Amino acid sequence: MHELSIAAAVAESAQDAARRHGAASVESVRVRVGELSGVVPDALRFSFEVVTEGTALAGAALVVEEVPARARCGDCAGQFAPGTPPRLWCPGCRGAAVELVAGRELEIADVTLPGGDGCPGDRPERRDARQRESA
């Protein structure tokens, strides 16, 4: 069950964020989990409860934002849900030049500290990826 090690890493990152902002606890952690990431959201939630028990994160909510898989056809530019297991040909034109554009995410989106202060996932590569996605 790799969700346990993922939950431990999420808890450690959230605790680091709280420490950097001078907070003694964390209210919630929001993570984005892609449909094709191989992570089971319920197992991740359970694992987070287990690894945070008895820590400064005890009682913090883990909010899982499930990201559906999306693919884009390189031939006709159509977008579609590839399904699970992924179907990597375009249902519109039957083209095979398909790129997965969403669904592999596994990232901390933000951490909410007491008083409503939030700190976004602050790894530079994640900020850059979010900026590219919103462009």
Side-chain angles (χ1 to χ4, degrees), residues 32-99:
R32 292 172 36 93
V33 176
E35 178 182 359
L36 301 176
S37 68
V39 174
V40 178
D42 286 339
L44 183 60
R45 286 183 194 96
F46 174 78
S47 296
F48 186 78
E49 285 183 35
V50 169
V51 300
T52 59
E53 189 174 309
T55 72
L57 273 79
L62 181 68
V63 179
V64 178
E65 178 185 329
E66 296 183 47
V67 180
R70 298 293 303 158
R72 178 177 39 240
C73 177
D75 294 334
C76 73
Q79 286 201 12
F80 59 95
T84 306
R87 180 183 67 248
L88 297 178
W89 64 89
C90 178
C93 74
R94 296 291 187 207
V98 172
E99 171 191 12

